[in-house]
Amino acid sequence: MTRTRGRWPASVAVVGALALTLAACDGAPPTAAPPSVASSTSATASDEADRTDAPSGAGITAEEAIALGEEMTAALASGDVEEWLSLTVLEGAAAQQQRDWFEGVQAVPMDVRELHPVFLANAAGEMGAEVEFSFRHQVTGVDAEPVVQPYVFTLVRADADWRVSQVEGPDDVDAAYPQLWDLGPISVIETEHLLVVTEASAGTRRTTEALETAAAATLTEFPLPGPDRMLVMLASAEPVSAMLGQGEGASFGGWITPASSPEVERDGILPDVEDGAPGPVRVVLDRGEIEGEFSWYPRLDGGSPSMRNIATTVALSQQSGPHASPTTWVYEGVALWFQSVGDPEVRDMAAGDYRWAFETGGLPDALPPARWWEFYEEEHLSQHFYRAGSVFEYVEAQHGLEVTVALGLDLSRLDYFTDGEEAIDLALRDHLGVGTEEFEAAWVEWVAHEFGDDGEDSPVADDARR
């Protein structure tokens, strides 16, 4: 898992917890079948030292690549799609995909739209020159700084100029490619806390309202450190699978993080726009899963539980430094707990899920793993999530919402590798008046009473189990 650039895994809180809560629900079909995400030659970390030695001569030169980038940036600034297409030799479906892309990134409000060549992957290939470009952009009200999304363009000579003959995404898993604007026509919906990018003509008013309600509740308690809006890409199953890099039929929510690029620096023969700190995330949601919540829950007073879960994880993940490793059970546990806060219907069903999980996998006897590679261990993943969520269910039951939020925020700011168990112990003493050992024992006892065999006073009846 990388926090410096590219893709994070899907929100496993949604995979684990909501998989038990949500019934299967197929989303509406996409308005256009997304193209396959082609692999391509791309730069790796070991290539960085060789960037100034990229071949030139018979192929494209760095100066020519930079000049083409300036033409592309001018076309983006003009807003003229025909000017953009004139920089390509694409036809048919490939040209339409670029038309949809251009119109999509124009529809999303952005303060910055630029393209810069960053690597001559193959300056003189048989099929043309392959050049990696960075689409540097800044979504208005979402991005504190510009972020980048990489592409690999195959370029051919057209008269005296270099023109695009093929568009691909790098084969790097951390490339934040594709985004929804790469996969077909889009619509853009703005709310107070969200900028929702969705498939064109997808009726989403009710869904958007549920997302906004959830985001408003989450950001009230867990504000973002920068701009107070999130960009949500809401789509049906097939494009969601493409965006998250999964196989056919995958369906879940998640998020993608492109790298921040505060400056464009000339370091060698080509610009360097990839050395910034991690930027804000792009939330990706499966529309079918979100719409399924309307039929599964009797009411949704708190908005979409999926959105509350992911928005909480996003907010907490940005509390710590860009290269920190927070305690995993903290931000996953807070997210699972907060998805049902303030919504009695969702909370009752969530309590049933806790009981089912602990009856199936056994009651906890220790806090969940702090390190992500242990927490996300496939064999025990579901148990780790429910244990983590129950930690904060317990804190709220004993100390109230305000204390739970404050504790969650403080714990999420810790770097486990730097601060360790002592810092967790200190935070517990500060907010709850007890150390880790005493806290763990009391939580274990509470979970056994609330969700175990002796939990006759549990708010959930047996028939709520799934």
Side-chain angles (χ1 to χ4, degrees), residues 86-101:
S86 73
L87 302 177
T88 79
V89 294
L90 299 171
E91 298 179 349
Q96 184 61 47
Q97 187 274 331
Q98 280 299 288
R99 182 180 294 274
D100 293 338
W101 178 87

Side-chain angles (χ1 to χ4, degrees), residues 169-198:
D171 58 7
D172 182 357
V173 71
D174 292 334
Y177 176 91
Q179 300 288 301
L180 192 55
W181 47 58
D182 297 303
L183 300 177
I186 63 170
S187 296
V188 179
I189 304 167
E190 294 190 63
T191 67
E192 182 179 356
H193 297 95
L194 299 175
L195 195 151
V196 180
V197 176
T198 187

Side-chain angles (χ1 to χ4, degrees), residues 289-450:
E289 292 289 329
I290 302 300
E291 292 174 352
E293 294 175 338
F294 297 130
S295 59
W296 189 248
Y297 294 105
R299 295 177 57 183
L300 282 176
D301 294 340
S304 163
S306 297
M307 183 64 200
R308 288 174 71 113
N309 185 303
I310 292 177
T312 304
T313 307
V314 168
L316 293 184
S317 70
Q318 296 193 33
Q319 297 295 323
S320 54
H323 304 294
S325 295
T327 306
T328 305
W329 65 259
V330 171
Y331 61 83
E332 296 292 14
V334 173
L336 182 56
W337 159 71
F338 193 74
Q339 75 181 36
S340 62
V341 168
D343 194 323
E345 301 282 0
V346 178
R347 170 148 290 187
D348 281 350
M349 298 187 79
D353 288 337
Y354 280 110
R355 292 197 58 154
W356 180 90
F358 294 140
E359 286 173 2
T360 302
L363 291 165
D365 57 5
L367 290 170
R371 295 173 293 193
W372 66 265
W373 59 86
E374 295 174 338
F375 188 96
Y376 296 121
E377 182 185 14
E378 185 174 356
E379 183 180 358
H380 304 293
L381 179 60
S382 179
Q383 284 298 302
H384 292 163
F385 269 99
Y386 283 109
R387 291 185 180 196
S390 70
V391 168
F392 296 95
E393 295 280 354
Y394 164 71
V395 175
E396 186 195 11
Q398 302 301 310
H399 301 277
L401 175 66
E402 185 176 345
V403 171
T404 310
V405 169
L407 175 65
L409 281 168
D410 274 2
L411 288 174
S412 68
R413 295 182 180 116
L414 302 179
D415 183 339
Y416 182 77
F417 292 104
T418 301
D419 304 312
E421 298 288 354
E422 292 184 2
I424 295 174
D425 184 86
L426 228 95
L428 291 172
R429 292 183 185 279
D430 186 37
H431 290 279
L432 309 182
V434 297
T436 303
E437 186 175 345
E438 185 178 348
F439 172 81
E440 185 177 61
W443 161 70
V444 166
E445 182 180 353
W446 180 85
V447 169
H449 178 268
E450 190 72 10

Side-chain angles (χ1 to χ4, degrees), residues 65-80:
I66 291 170
L68 179 58
E70 291 172 350
E71 287 186 274
M72 291 174 172
T73 298
L76 286 169
S78 75
D80 185 346

Side-chain angles (χ1 to χ4, degrees), residues 111-112 136-147 224-230 260-263 277-282 318:
D111 300 323
V112 173
R136 185 173 184 260
H137 58 284
Q138 183 174 10
V139 178
T140 305
V142 174
D143 300 335
E145 297 174 330
V147 297
L224 294 171
D228 60 356
R229 285 207 302 180
M230 295 182 183
S260 175
S261 175
E263 297 180 1
V281 302
R282 292 357 186 171
Q318 296 193 33

